[in-house]
Amino acid sequence: MIGIIDSGIANLRSVQKGFARIGAEARIAEDPRLLREAAGIVLPGVGAFADGIGKLASHGFVEPLRRAIEQGKPVLGICLGLHFLFSESEEFGLHKGLNLLAAGATIPDDVPDPAVRTPG
């Protein structure tokens, strides 16, 4: 079973339907304890980094996610969910990430639209 983290900031049903289409069981994890049962984890996300990382923490997913990664469970970060795994993000100020990937999400100086971001 694939656990899809529900931190209140993503289109979870689209992710779940994608897994169903390929015949994989995926459950939306509103409770962090579900991550223990999952063979793999998906961390989707949309919106602003600071709000998203705050919701991830307030929903209690930070430590269970860290433990799952330490145990070798595969994790797929989608969009903002991938950015959460980085050390930090420069979106609307400097914000700490989960520091699971030693990199930062930066916005290049020559990109006028802040909606265009690159992991850097």
Side-chain angles (χ1 to χ4, degrees):
M1 179 267 299
I2 306 294
I4 303 168
I5 293 178
D6 179 5
S7 59
I9 53 161
N11 186 346
L12 306 172
R13 286 291 298 144
S14 293
V15 175
Q16 189 177 37
K17 285 180 181 181
F19 280 105
R21 185 174 177 106
I22 62 168
E25 179 189 3
R27 292 177 43 198
I28 294 172
E30 296 174 349
D31 185 332
R33 292 176 290 191
L34 183 71
L35 301 184
R36 285 183 268 182
E37 303 170 27
I41 299 169
V42 177
L43 178 57
V46 295
F49 186 93
D51 292 339
I53 200 80
K55 287 184 180 183
L56 193 66
S58 70
H59 284 81
F61 281 103
V62 172
E63 289 310 312
L65 180 58
R66 284 184 197 276
R67 280 193 301 274
I69 291 170
E70 288 170 1
Q71 294 168 355
K73 286 191 184 183
V75 174
L76 171 64
I78 300 175
C79 198
L80 187 61
L82 175 62
H83 289 201
F84 293 153
L85 301 176
F86 293 147
S87 303
E88 60 189 23
S89 173
E90 295 178 355
E91 181 187 53
F92 304 116
L94 188 63
H95 305 281
K96 295 293 181 192
L98 299 175
N99 200 29
L100 298 168
L101 296 174
T106 62
I107 301 172
D109 293 334
D110 61 343
V111 176
D113 183 353
V116 178
R117 297 172 189 85
T118 58

